[in-house]
């Protein structure tokens, strides 16, 4: 591992196919990325799709310590999505696997390819509930502490799956 690895948080979601198996495989793949190790994994949760139809999502978050750059990590996430048969049709379309880079350390970034922190992470219960399980005191840069952000959200059902 190179000097100064960063803590990166990845949000996982699937609402097509064998969603639990897909999330498990994606968790494995994330931990197997070069220059990267898994620090913490949340439980799996189910959530009702936001602004879209289709089956419920299965969601989770993973905390990674990585020496990959943000751009390299995003590319790796997209490779893992592609391996799970993701077809990019339209925003919020049902997907076999969605991997979002939620945060990369304290980095603030706004480029066409990558916005950090993820622009909608702070308002999504399916991100905040799993984050609160493993890192309630984590701050989303520019937004506030996970626990406080979650307390502001109403009406988004997110249920922990029995495993
Ligand atoms: P969503 O997850 O919001 O439904 P998509 O996964 O379809 O949207 O969007 C993927 C696009 O979003 C990619 O082209 C990617 O470059 C861009 N993007 C920007 N910021 C991020 C981020 N923090 N994490 C993942 N993708 C991002
Ligand atoms: Mg995405």
């Amino acid at each position: 591992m190179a000097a100064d690895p960063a803590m990166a948080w990845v949000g996982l979601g699937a609402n097509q196919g064998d969603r639990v198996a897909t999330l498990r495989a994606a968790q494995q793949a994330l931990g197997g990325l070069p220059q990267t190790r898994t620090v913490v994994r949340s439980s799996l949760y189910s959530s009702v799709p936001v602004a879209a139809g289709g089956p419920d999502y299965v969601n989770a978050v993973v905390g990674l310590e990585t020496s990959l750059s943000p751009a390299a990590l995003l590319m790796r996430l997209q490779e893992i999505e592609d391996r799970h048969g993701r077809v990019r049709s339209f925003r919020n379309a049902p997907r076999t696997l969605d991997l979002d880079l939620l945060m990369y350390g304290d980095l603030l970034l706004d480029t066409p390819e990558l916005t950090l922190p993820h622009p909608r992470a702070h308002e999504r219960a399916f991100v905040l509930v799993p984050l609160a399980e493993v890192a309630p005191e984590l701050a989303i840069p520019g937004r506030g502490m996970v626990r406080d952000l979650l307390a502001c959200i109403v009406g988004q059902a997110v249920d922990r799956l029995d495993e």
Side-chain angles (χ1 to χ4, degrees):
M1 186 83 60
D4 280 347
M7 187 71 189
W9 292 90
V10 176
L12 302 84
N15 82 331
Q16 302 279 291
D18 187 340
R19 300 160 299 167
V20 170
T22 299
L23 253 67
R24 291 273 176 240
Q27 287 174 328
Q28 285 291 333
L30 291 170
L33 290 179
Q35 302 174 64
T36 300
R37 72 177 183 93
T38 300
V39 176
V40 65
R41 287 178 181 174
S42 75
S43 304
L44 305 188
Y45 292 82
S46 71
S47 68
V48 175
V50 175
D56 286 356
Y57 271 84
V58 176
N59 294 105
V61 299
V62 171
L64 301 173
E65 191 178 67
T66 187
S67 298
L68 294 174
S69 68
L73 181 55
L74 180 67
M75 197 189 73
R76 296 286 187 167
L77 299 186
Q78 292 174 347
E79 284 174 3
I80 297 170
E81 287 180 341
D82 291 343
R83 267 192 267 136
H84 286 275
R86 166 133 186 213
V87 177
R88 289 167 196 281
S89 47
F90 53 92
R91 192 160 157 215
N92 296 327
R95 64 277 308 266
T96 42
L97 179 63
D98 183 41
L99 297 177
D100 288 330
L101 185 50
L102 303 173
M103 276 169 273
Y104 184 99
D106 291 334
L107 192 62
L108 300 173
L109 193 70
D110 195 2
T111 68
E113 300 77 32
L114 182 57
T115 303
L116 291 171
H118 189 285
R120 292 170 291 281
H122 64 285
E123 58 189 30
R124 290 176 162 175
F126 64 81
V127 171
L128 295 175
V129 169
L131 271 181
E133 176 194 343
V134 293
E137 302 196 346
L138 181 70
I140 299 184
R143 300 296 188 182
M145 202 186 284
V146 164
R147 191 193 347 215
D148 300 337
L149 292 166
L150 185 56
C152 297
I153 292 186
V154 286
Q156 294 181 37
V158 177
D159 299 307
R160 187 168 163 166
L161 293 180
D162 293 330
E163 293 173 56

